[in-house]
Amino acid sequence: MACVAVFFFYEQPKYFNPDIYIPFVTNEKSKESYKNVIILCIIATFGLSVSASGFAFFLCWNLYETMGKLIYVYGEKLKEQSQRMAWNVEIVTDYISIFKNLTFRLHEVDQAVNIYALLIYGAVISGFFNTVSVMVTGDESFKTTTTTVYIVWVFVNSVGVLIILSYYGSNITDQGNKLKRRMIEYTDKFIRFSPPISAMHMVQFLFEIIMKANLTVTGGGMFAINFGLILSIASVMVTYGVLILQLDQN
């Protein structure tokens, strides 16, 4: 925010001051103050946007990390139960109920914050676009210390946000897949002990529920959040950079 303030007030006023619209009823003596108020509003809007994005990011980070840990703990409890082979109808019913609540909570979390995740990824991509645009452009007005610091700050934050959200989103999917693989192993082991028919039916029911569960989080319900997004965004940035460089040379 400090870089933005320096940029607007000290480095670039000659570029944008003439474009600021001033109502004709404004007194001549008040025009400069009017421009300063507009610039302050722009800076304040930027600050509020950064604060809102940061809040949404930490919210998604905390929720994704928590859900990943819950799935991991459930898998560990299932592992302990399988090692003891103390399966009966009551125990399996409890595990079914716990897993049902776990999937419901994950769905609620995704429904609550998936639009935030979508907007965060949009902000990250915008940050990359800004970085690439400034890097390849030949405009001398952007080759200043303040602009460089700002662009580096935007790039570092964008990379950090992208990696962290993608990691914890992938962790939820990975823990879910790990749980499914374990369930296949546990079911095979359980059947070999010739369990009662009632317990076998309940374990089969638990197996089907776990295998059919979709343990993922999304961005706006449009794409799954995982490490694959990093490669997709990187390819888009490379393409964009090449296009901007060619257009700038022309």
Side-chain angles (χ1 to χ4, degrees), residues 26-221:
T26 305
N27 188 289
E28 189 67 29
K29 296 181 180 179
S30 304
K31 286 185 177 180
E32 193 63 30
S33 299
Y34 182 87
K35 290 181 179 180
N36 290 335
V37 170
I38 292 177
I39 295 172
L40 284 174
C41 290
I42 294 173
I43 296 172
T45 302
F46 174 81
L48 290 173
S49 300
V50 171
S51 300
S53 299
F55 172 78
F57 164 66
F58 284 112
L59 177 64
C60 293
W61 178 0
N62 183 268
L63 290 174
Y64 291 169
E65 182 179 9
T66 301
M67 294 310 302
K69 288 180 178 179
L70 288 176
I71 297 173
Y72 170 78
V73 170
Y74 181 84
E76 290 299 309
K77 292 295 183 182
L78 206 61
K79 179 180 179 180
E80 294 176 5
Q81 193 67 37
S82 176
Q83 290 174 344
R84 295 197 301 266
M85 292 306 295
W87 295 104
N88 56 52
V89 174
E90 291 76 15
I91 292 176
V92 178
T93 301
D94 290 339
Y95 274 93
I96 292 174
S97 178
I98 294 172
F99 186 76
K100 180 190 69 174
N101 290 329
L102 182 61
T103 54
F104 284 170
R105 298 296 84 77
L106 179 61
H107 177 72
E108 289 175 354
V109 165
D110 186 51
Q111 289 295 310
V113 302
N114 63 16
I115 190 64
Y116 296 154
L118 175 64
L119 295 176
I120 289 171
Y121 273 96
V124 166
I125 294 173
S126 297
F128 287 139
F129 278 142
N130 290 337
T131 302
V132 173
S133 298
V134 172
M135 287 176 60
V136 302
T137 186
D139 194 339
E140 292 295 330
S141 63
F142 291 110
K143 296 181 179 180
T144 62
T145 302
T146 303
T147 305
T148 302
V149 171
Y150 172 71
I151 289 300
V152 170
W153 177 79
V154 169
F155 179 76
V156 170
N157 278 274
S158 297
V159 170
V161 169
L162 178 62
I163 292 176
I164 290 173
L165 284 190
S166 298
Y167 170 78
Y168 285 107
S170 293
N171 183 54
I172 292 175
T173 303
D174 292 342
Q175 292 297 335
N177 292 334
K178 184 178 180 181
L179 177 61
K180 292 177 181 180
R181 291 193 298 269
R182 282 184 172 182
M183 195 61 205
I184 294 174
E185 177 186 346
Y186 302 155
T187 303
D188 178 68
K189 182 179 178 181
F190 177 73
I191 293 175
R192 295 177 186 275
F193 279 82
S194 301
I197 297 298
S198 58
M200 184 180 295
H201 286 168
M202 294 303 295
V203 169
Q204 182 181 2
F205 186 47
L206 175 62
F207 175 82
E208 292 178 355
I209 291 176
I210 291 178
M211 297 305 293
K212 293 180 180 179
N214 182 25
L215 302 176
T216 58
V217 287
T218 64

